[in-house]
Amino acid sequence: MLSRPKPVYLVDFSCYLPPSHLKVSVKTLMEHARRAREAGVCWKNKENDYLIEFQQKILERSGLGQETCIPEGLQCFPLQQDMAASRKETAEVIFGALDNLFRNTGVKPGEIGILVVNSSTFNPTPSLASMIVNKYKLRDNIKSLNLGGMGCSAGVIAIDVAKGLLQVHRNTYAIVVSTENITQNLYLGKNKSMLVTNCLFRVGGAAILLSNRSRDRSRAKYELLHTVRIHTGSDDRSFECATQEEDEDGIIGVTLTKNLPMVAARTLKINIATLGPLVLPMKEKLAFFVTFLKKKYFRPELKNYTPDFKLAFEHFCIHAGGRALIDELEKNLKLSPLHVEASRMTLHRFGNTSSSSIWYELAYTEAKGRMKEGDRIWQIALGSGFKCNSSVWVALRNVKPSVHNPWEDCMDRYPVEIDI
């Protein structure tokens, strides 16, 4: 009994709610783009008007609403994309989420024994983890890690890392902080495959408090059951499908290749095959196994059996990477519109907030009052590399939204109809 892994509890979490002055409509974004061109910041030739039209088409079909947020540095002219502006954005997001988390839980910063921070493309020195240690005066022997370059699925990786540390360091708290920086990642070149990220990514971040202390079970919201991490980076197509690099003019951006949908589908398939035996009821496992044998030995043309994951989970938090991603997972997993409502509404209200999007989706489900004791939640995210990561939680009680839930000011308006 002493050697068994300690349960990992999610005591509470907090998603950053940007101030209202950071909200931008599609019309405002396009005005910014035109002003940037006229000011000579980008696309200096008038014949490059098609680049403006290209971005407008993406925005109109993206599933994003009229209230997503971009940082202050990208709302002024000339643009402020220096280190100071980037640090300001990240500090406001991280400290905003952490301040609310500490208020809601009553946990003191000195009680935190483990800190895991993930931000894919903004990794200054001192690190973001050190910035948090300095701000909240965390103890000298804290186990801190800073994860970089791991894409939109890094939030689940950070949870998995924290889980492993909580198995080693007993009777302590762990904080996971997931965010991404927009200020330094606005692409100002002419490569269409790099312009797509400008249209999707928005300001956001989340802070999560985990515990391995048995006395915290009575107040915790969830218990962590499984984490599954799949990395297909050994294949060149997977490794190269989403890459930060310079374009032909030397301007840095993230290239998305045509192989991305195929790579994502293959990596997701492996993740599902790994997770299925851990969560599916015996009937679904047998159906999958029988179909596998028939296909392998008797009927190669037989389609693969897709297990009914609705029998394993009540709630799905699919990374809000874009409308096409949500559509594809809804179709492949045979989910209902209700199952993907949290993902679609998160994309509409907050945009793609990278690794933190799955937490805005969980906050949405709580705000709707749908989380009941015993409900199981599947968080799934895909990211560059290429990776597909899953975390599975179970609700320990009927969960109510925490104070300053990011949806509290607009829950009466959601869900909304999304016209594409």
Side-chain angles (χ1 to χ4, degrees), residues 347-368:
L347 182 64
H348 183 273
R349 173 64 182 83
F350 295 100
N352 180 352
T353 61
S354 190
S355 56
S356 65
S357 68
I358 55 178
W359 298 105
Y360 286 91
E361 293 162 19
L362 188 56
Y364 178 90
T365 305
E366 292 182 359
K368 280 294 183 181

Side-chain angles (χ1 to χ4, degrees), residues 221-223 225-226 312-317 358 362 365 371-372 374-379 391-396 399:
K221 288 184 172 183
Y222 309 99
E223 180 179 345
L225 299 182
H226 307 287
F313 304 108
E314 284 74 33
H315 307 285
F316 297 80
C317 296
I358 55 178
L362 188 56
T365 305
M371 193 65 67
K372 306 302 180 183
D375 282 1
R376 296 153 297 178
I377 308 98
W378 181 13
Q379 291 179 319
S391 56
V392 178
W393 307 85
V394 61
L396 298 176
V399 179

Side-chain angles (χ1 to χ4, degrees), residues 6-9 114 161-174 210-212:
K6 291 280 288 184
V8 174
Y9 303 113
I114 298 165
V161 170
K163 179 185 75 171
L165 290 171
L166 285 169
Q167 298 303 328
V168 176
H169 304 279
R170 305 260 170 147
N171 197 37
T172 191
Y173 288 110
L210 304 175
S211 173
N212 58 12

Side-chain angles (χ1 to χ4, degrees), residues 26-264:
V26 172
K27 181 180 178 181
T28 302
L29 282 172
M30 299 319 301
E31 289 175 354
H32 284 336
R34 292 185 181 92
R35 286 185 64 189
R37 188 201 64 184
E38 293 169 359
V41 176
C42 55
W43 319 315
K44 297 180 181 180
N45 300 324
K46 289 187 177 180
E47 58 265 27
N48 290 332
D49 280 346
Y50 75 93
L51 294 174
I52 301 274
E53 296 174 0
F54 172 73
Q55 290 185 94
Q56 183 158 356
K57 287 180 180 179
I58 293 178
L59 282 167
E60 291 171 349
R61 301 171 184 174
S62 65
L64 273 69
Q66 303 296 325
E67 297 182 351
T68 60
C69 299
I70 62 174
E72 291 178 353
L74 302 184
Q75 297 197 37
C76 58
F77 291 93
L79 299 176
Q80 296 179 3
Q81 292 186 276
D82 55 15
M83 181 63 73
S86 300
R87 281 185 175 275
K88 180 182 178 182
E89 178 204 340
T90 296
E92 289 175 351
V93 172
I94 290 178
F95 298 155
L98 282 171
D99 286 347
N100 189 52
L101 183 67
F102 284 130
R103 280 195 302 267
N104 289 348
T105 61
V107 172
K108 298 178 180 179
E111 298 179 80
I112 307 302
I114 298 165
L115 173 65
V116 183
V117 183
N118 70 268
S119 174
S120 188
T121 57
F122 182 62
N123 290 283
T125 185
S127 68
L128 301 182
S130 295
M131 185 174 73
I132 295 172
V133 171
N134 176 260
K135 165 72 174 180
Y136 295 99
K137 309 305 177 188
L138 303 185
R139 61 199 200 194
D140 295 342
N141 64 344
I142 190 166
K143 307 298 184 290
S144 65
L145 294 94
N146 205 99
L147 308 180
M150 306 194 79
C152 298
S153 66
V156 177
I157 296 175
I159 291 292
D160 185 58
V161 170
K163 179 185 75 171
L165 290 171
L166 285 169
Q167 298 303 328
V168 176
H169 304 279
R170 305 260 170 147
N171 197 37
T172 191
Y173 288 110
I175 279 186
V176 171
V177 178
S178 295
T179 189
E180 191 53 80
N181 187 276
I182 311 301
T183 299
Q184 280 198 340
N185 291 298
L186 180 70
Y187 174 66
L188 300 175
K190 298 180 291 187
N191 189 316
K192 283 188 176 182
S193 64
M194 292 181 169
L195 283 169
V196 174
T197 56
N198 289 357
C199 304
L200 298 178
F201 285 91
R202 297 292 185 270
V203 172
I208 303 95
L209 179 65
L210 304 175
S211 173
N212 58 12
R213 309 191 313 174
S214 56
R215 59 181 176 272
D216 281 323
R217 180 184 176 89
S218 60
R219 68 166 181 155
K221 288 184 172 183
Y222 309 99
E223 180 179 345
L224 181 61
L225 299 182
H226 307 287
T227 52
V228 172
R229 294 168 53 183
I230 300 299
H231 197 315
T232 58
S234 59
D235 180 85
D236 289 343
R237 292 173 300 178
S238 294
F239 178 73
E240 297 168 356
C241 69
T243 309
Q244 187 180 34
E245 59 187 359
E246 295 177 335
D247 66 9
E248 56 274 15
D249 298 317
I251 302 173
I252 296 176
V254 177
T255 301
L256 304 178
T257 71
K258 294 180 180 179
N259 288 329
L260 182 57
M262 178 273 294
V263 167

Side-chain angles (χ1 to χ4, degrees), residues 270-282:
I270 300 172
N271 189 287
I272 288 174
T274 307
L275 179 66
L278 300 175
V279 299
L280 289 169
M282 185 57 66

